Every structure is written in C-alpha cells, then in structure tokens.
Amino acid sequence: MPEHTHGKATSNGIPLPDFELPYPDKPEVITENLMKLAALTKDDRARFLKVNLIRHLHQFITETSLTTKEWMSAIQFLTATGKQCTDIRQEFILLSDVLGVSALVDAVNNPPMEGVTESCVLGPFFTEDAPDVEIGESIASEGKGEYMYVEGRILSSDGKPIPDAVIETWETDESGYYDTQYDNRDKPDCRGRLKSDKDGHFAFRAVVPVAYPIPADGPVGDLLLLFNRHNVRPNHLHLMIQAPGYRTLITSFYPENDKYLASDPVFGVKHSLVVSLEEVKNEAEARKRGFPKGDTFKLLKRDIVLVPEDQAQKRYEENAAIFSKNALKA
Ligand code: BEZ
Ligand code: FE
C-alpha cells in the first residue's frame, strides 16, 4: 500500500504567501495571482521563464476562448504522447520536432556565424553505440544502398585544422529505415564514429541518403494528418562533431534536388547545408576508396567549420539581448 495512505495527509511544507491573493472571481485574477506567485522565484532566469510561460499560455486560452472539450482533447493527446514513449522511442521529441520547437531552440542557441557550419535538429535516431571506424572505412554494411564517399576537413573558424575531432555520423539505409527501426537489430549499421587526422582531414564510406517518412504510427503521426502535412524528411546524412574547446556541432547535409527539401516536416534544412553530390564513374577510383564492387559512387566533399565555445556563447548572448529587447517592446 502506498505510504501516503497512512496517517494524516500533510502539506508540502511551503508556507502560505505573506501577501493578499484575491479570490479569482474574474478570469484575469487567475493570471495575476499566478504571476504574483511566480515573481517569488529567486533565480532570475527561472522567474523570467515562468512569468513568460504563464503569460503566453493564459493569453492563448483567453484569445482563443478555448472550449472545455478542446482542452480535454489536448490533454488526451499529451497523455497518448507520453504513453507512446519507451526507452528507444521519444514521441515528445518528435512532437517538438514537427511543431518547429526543436529547430527554433537550435536556432536560438546556435545563431549563424560567418563561415561557421550551421547546425540543425538532432532527431530521435542518434544512438551511443556507433562503431569506431578508421578514416576511409565504411559506416554501412554491404548492400545497404548506393555507394557514397564523404570527405573533408574539420576546421576552426580561424581556418586552422582541428585534429582528433570526434565525428559521429548516422543515416538510413536505402529503404529509408534507421537500424534501430528493425526489430531484429543485432548491431549498429549505417552509423559510425571516427576522428579527424592531424590535418583535420576525415573521410568515410557510406550510402547515398534517401528521403524517408518520420514515424507516423503514434499521436504525432495523427497530428500531422490533422494538420494536412506530409511526414517525409528530405534525404540527409547526420553529423555530430565534438572537439575540446569548441561548440559541439549537430548538423546534417542535404543532397540537392530532393523534392522534400522545402517542406521538411521538422524544419531542419538550411540553404548552407544543401550539398551537391558528384558522380564518380571510375573503377580504379572506386577500388582506391575501398568500394568492393562496380565503378560508380557519389562523392560528398565538404569542410566543416567549428566555432570556439566562448565565441559561440558570446554570439548567443548578443542574440538573446536582441530577443529580450524585442520582447520588451511587445
Ligand atoms: C531525423 O532526421 O532523423 C529526424 C528528425 C526529426 C524527427 C524525426 C527524424
Ligand atoms: Fe534523419
């Protein structure tokens, strides 16, 4: 039997407020009272977030004259979203993705900087168990798709190469599934971890990315149908690059000419991340790069530029100042 059923029920121990809170006879008093309570929050940032959250949430309800039925269906939707989550499925992240929240949080935290590779959404398919591969090795087992060779250098925004940067990369196979979406996954595939060499150079074999649908079998899938929105992400290769002293970069490269680029359901595509793939048709080149068969592969050549952490933080703070000035004007 749960412990709280024993003895007298007790409060959480927080004392009564030492100021007057009028009874909420009028709707606006609900908001005002909550604001007075939120104002007691000691931490400046937490207070700022609470006050703004309450303001926007309450304003949404009054501005839309939300019906009881609508609010109940929102609660049921959120409940279903929670129930869909497991250790390997995060429906709330998917919800955040399709509502543009993940992309917006990323944009606020990683504003564009001259010459620096732009970031984009992480998505729910990153795993910790990518195998280590050497430069030039394959991240995909044979038969997983058309061959692609990816190469470039990891550079600092001052142009210097970054040696020993850790590069994690992951993608779907040619059927549009991540390895984690197969019930019989016994080992990671189409994902790998490598390090840049002393000149910042990296290279790996992979497969040409394909456009694929994000999971549609849960509440977020239902939401997209309700909004009349498709669920297909344009073809892309995910990358995460970490190097001591630099802002970790989470990004993707999007091969050009995909019909889904402009309507990505998770708002990940940025102009600077769209890449062209060169078709190489040369048997000797294919062998030299380690492809076991045929004479054709696609080549994705791209340098990746990281920004020192202190500069990234300074840029965030400048941008945050602009946002809060705008908020004050509103
Ligand atoms: C992905 O690209 O892996 C992804 C991103 C957001 C939602 C679903 C999938
Ligand atoms: Fe993806």
Side-chain angles (χ1 to χ4, degrees):
M1 205 183 279
E3 216 172 305
H4 67 261
T5 58
H6 292 279
K8 192 173 183 306
T10 52
S11 91
N12 67 2
I14 306 283
L16 296 178
D18 59 4
F19 52 87
E20 195 205 346
L21 284 175
Y23 289 176
D25 295 319
K26 294 191 205 137
E28 56 272 25
V29 179
I30 302 170
T31 309
E32 285 161 16
N33 282 0
L34 192 52
M35 287 293 193
K36 283 182 201 159
L37 292 167
L40 298 177
T41 310
K42 291 212 169 58
D43 180 78
D44 286 347
R45 179 69 183 166
R47 189 173 59 250
F48 175 72
L49 293 178
K50 268 192 209 173
V51 164
N52 275 285
L53 179 66
I54 295 161
R55 184 161 61 83
H56 287 289
L57 186 61
H58 283 211
Q59 205 170 358
F60 170 78
I61 295 160
T62 50
E63 275 181 8
T64 59
S65 298
L66 196 70
T67 67
T68 306
K69 201 166 152 215
E70 286 161 345
W71 182 230
M72 279 320 295
S73 79
I75 285 178
Q76 275 155 9
F77 172 80
L78 291 173
T79 306
T81 302
K83 286 187 176 168
Q84 191 76 46
C85 294
T86 65
D87 285 349
I88 53 158
R89 168 109 184 228
Q90 233 304 350
E91 194 77 357
F92 273 111
I93 294 187
L94 201 58
L95 179 61
S96 155
D97 293 339
V98 304
L99 292 179
V101 174
S102 306
L104 200 51
V105 171
D106 176 47
V108 166
N109 282 273
N110 298 292
M113 294 181 76
E114 187 66 31
V116 174
T117 304
E118 289 196 277
S119 61
C120 76
V121 289
L122 171 71
F125 293 113
F126 171 77
T127 66
E128 302 281 350
D129 66 351
D132 290 317
V133 295
E134 294 299 323
I135 289 182
E137 283 185 347
S138 184
I139 63 156
S141 56
E142 191 55 23
K144 282 291 173 177
E146 221 189 308
Y147 295 149
M148 177 169 78
Y149 197 80
V150 185
E151 69 177 1
R153 281 170 312 156
I154 309 292
L155 301 171
S156 170
S157 48
D158 62 7
K160 293 202 184 92
I162 305 179
D164 286 327
V166 177
I167 302 151
E168 306 237 19
T169 182
W170 65 105
E171 61 175 342
T172 68
D173 59 19
E174 66 182 354
S175 304
Y177 292 110
Y178 285 94
D179 56 353
T180 50
Q181 292 176 287
Y182 288 101
D183 291 339
N184 59 355
R185 179 194 202 251
D186 56 2
K187 62 176 176 44
D189 204 349
C190 294
R191 56 181 80 236
R193 184 186 308 108
L194 65 155
K195 276 188 176 175
S196 57
D197 71 11
K198 63 176 182 3
D199 303 315
H201 183 257
F202 69 91
F204 57 92
R205 280 177 280 137
V207 293
V208 174
V210 296
Y212 67 86
I214 62 172
D217 57 344
V220 174
D222 297 342
L223 187 75
L224 287 178
L225 290 178
L226 195 71
F227 286 2
N228 209 16
R229 285 171 52 192
H230 75 73
N231 69 333
V232 184
R233 288 219 68 201
N235 59 171
H236 58 275
L237 171 79
H238 292 272
L239 294 148
M240 173 153 71
I241 298 104
Q242 290 171 282
Y246 289 87
R247 170 65 55 97
T248 294
L249 175 67
I250 294 168
T251 193
S252 296
F253 287 140
Y254 298 86
E256 64 191 354
N257 298 327
D258 184 306
K259 69 175 177 180
Y260 296 105
L261 281 170
S263 59
D264 180 8
V266 302
F267 311 95
V269 184
K270 292 173 179 166
H271 277 101
S272 69
L273 300 177
V274 177
V275 293
S276 49
L277 301 185
E278 182 192 334
E279 177 159 286
V280 179
K281 216 170 164 18
N282 180 323
E283 199 171 344
E285 275 296 312
R287 284 307 89 70
K288 197 177 102 190
R289 295 188 194 242
F291 292 115
K293 289 197 232 153
D295 62 357
T296 310
F297 64 94
K298 296 271 175 25
L299 180 61
L300 194 176
K301 254 184 136 152
R302 190 78 175 214
D303 289 343
I304 295 173
V305 182
L306 304 186
V307 61
E309 178 55 36
D310 54 345
Q311 289 179 31
Q313 183 59 23
K314 192 163 164 264
R315 178 80 181 88
Y316 161 80
E317 281 164 18
E318 284 162 13
N319 220 42
I322 297 169
F323 281 125
S324 41
K325 257 185 248 146
N326 286 348
L328 286 178
K329 267 189 248 150

